[in-house]
Amino acid sequence: MKRFILPLVIFLVLTGFLYKGLSLDPREVPSPLVGKAAPAFVLPLLHEPEKTFSPKDMAGKVWLLNVWASWCGACKDEHPVLMALSQQNLVPIVGLDYKDKREDGEATLRKAGDPYSLTIADADGKVGFDYGVYGVPETYVIDKQGMIAYKLIGAVTAQNLRDTILPLVAELQAK
């Protein structure tokens, strides 16, 4: 009887961890960057590669950094939501075209519409790496002081925009 107790306890503990793990939302993975300064960088603009952008250019503004790519299926799903958001003019959206060919990124925005205040090209993925990107799309809410206030893994949807992102943006803009 005693030799069955330890395996039973181990089985129950593992079952508990499995149950808890399956109930988690994979888009709610905590980011170690939330609450910290957004990593600094200088990248060329997608449409005008002779010009550059740095997060310092957004000092004093609340803004979104949306990491996307032409080859990303989920990015196509979130695109209409970003288009609608950009038309409301509530918050600047900076697009980071991640590990993409310039011509493919430009063609995607020409065809589907361009929701971004500006788009930057991260062809080699180094900036994405600094931000902890491990899949696209990902979206960051960055406050007036350049701190990352929130990270969304996965597509921006009407629901997470309404329930999480826009209330946070409004709160940060009011500060």
Side-chain angles (χ1 to χ4, degrees), residues 6 15-16 22 46 74 101-103 108 110 120 130 142 146 152 155 167:
L6 182 60
T15 301
L22 290 175
L46 180 68
K101 294 180 183 170
R102 180 176 305 282
E103 58 272 12
T108 296
R110 232 183 353 265
I120 49 182
D130 290 344
I142 302 175
L152 173 69

Side-chain angles (χ1 to χ4, degrees), residues 69-97:
S70 66
W71 44 263
C72 166
C75 298
K76 291 172 180 57
D77 294 340
E78 80 174 356
H79 197 82
V81 176
L82 295 176
M83 288 296 294
L85 175 60
S86 72
Q87 291 169 356
Q88 295 175 48
N89 210 22
L90 298 172
V91 62
I93 310 168
V94 174
L96 187 141
D97 190 14

Side-chain angles (χ1 to χ4, degrees), residues 9-11 28-29 34 37 46 48 51 56 58 60 74 84 86 92-93 111 113 118 132 151 169 171:
V9 168
I10 292 172
F11 173 77
E28 295 298 324
V29 175
V34 171
L46 180 68
E48 300 175 88
K51 295 182 180 178
K56 287 189 274 184
M58 300 301 280
S86 72
I93 310 168
K111 181 179 176 186
L118 60 91
K151 176 182 179 180
V169 166
E171 176 186 328

